[in-house]
Amino acid sequence: DGGITQSPKYLFRKEGQNVTLSCEQNLNHDAMYWYRQDPGQGLRLIYYSQIVNDFQKGDIAEGYSVSREKKESFPLTVTSAQKNPTAFYLCASSIGQGSISNTGELFFGEGSRLTVL
Amino acid sequence: DAKTTQPPSMDCAEGRAANLPCNHSTISGNEYVYWYRQIHSQGPQYIIHGLKNNETNEMASLIITEDRKSSTLILPHATLRDTAVYYCIVRVAEGRGYNKFYFGSGTKLNVKP
């Protein structure tokens, strides 16, 4: 089945450690996104990418890094510079603005919950 | 900058219509309004979207005011499984083909028996 797969679902990290969250999609979507969600809050955009080897900072990019070496994959690294990394992280994708059949909707993965001990 | 404002919570009786309001007073002419819902600790699920005209699909209806400064999501016959947080989102087309989706804090809809 087509969709977005995030892993791991749960992750624990010690302070000062970097951690990478995986996001893979087989929907042939051009655009991919990373969001952060804190308890009782909406989603805030960390990074987004429209094409391979290109990505843009979102509203809260500090302390995070991404890469887009393949169309299907958009991993997020939470670095030790992120002061409050405990959160629920959501990856999403969409067809991309240029598509004729673009409804523009975002398809989300099931999320990764990161806890810093 | 969330671009949307929603009430934090609403109650609805099972079987009745749920009307969820959203204000997006700073929306621009080419910015779409999307609605998603999120059941606890899952990824958000797409419901519907629109630009100017009212829209309807198998899940819901979207009513957009003529000035486009507000919209209402209507679930015609709410069930207990519709209990979730509902997000009203503005999609902004940025340069170079990028889209950004601005999420607000959402409305927690409680459907009661």
Side-chain angles (χ1 to χ4, degrees), chain A residues 5-116:
Chain A
T5 302
Q6 289 186 240
S7 63
K9 190 165 183 175
Y10 298 95
L11 186 62
F12 298 88
R13 181 194 104 175
K14 292 182 181 178
E15 279 194 40
Q17 287 182 333
N18 292 355
V19 62
T20 297
L21 307 180
S22 170
C23 178
E24 303 278 333
Q25 54 99 357
N26 60 4
L27 300 167
N28 199 31
H29 284 173
D30 290 312
M32 297 187 74
Y33 304 77
W34 274 104
Y35 288 89
R36 169 183 172 137
Q37 188 173 34
D38 293 287
Q41 307 288 318
L43 280 67
R44 292 184 291 167
L45 182 63
I46 305 173
Y47 268 98
Y48 57 112
S49 168
Q50 179 70 22
I51 56 173
V52 172
N53 292 324
D54 191 17
F55 46 83
Q56 301 293 318
K57 291 182 179 180
D59 302 315
I60 55 165
E62 185 175 349
Y64 300 97
S65 65
V66 292
S67 62
R68 188 83 187 276
E69 296 176 2
K70 298 186 298 181
K71 187 175 183 179
E72 314 82 64
S73 178
F74 192 41
L76 174 74
T77 297
V78 185
T79 76
S80 56
Q82 169 48 236
K83 295 193 183 343
N84 186 18
T86 294
F88 187 51
Y89 291 89
L90 285 157
C91 179
S93 70
S94 69
I95 289 177
Q97 192 176 14
S99 169
I100 293 173
S101 62
N102 181 20
T103 65
E105 67 186 89
L106 285 172
F107 291 79
F108 282 89
E110 289 303 306
S112 294
R113 188 168 297 281
L114 173 63
T115 302
V116 174

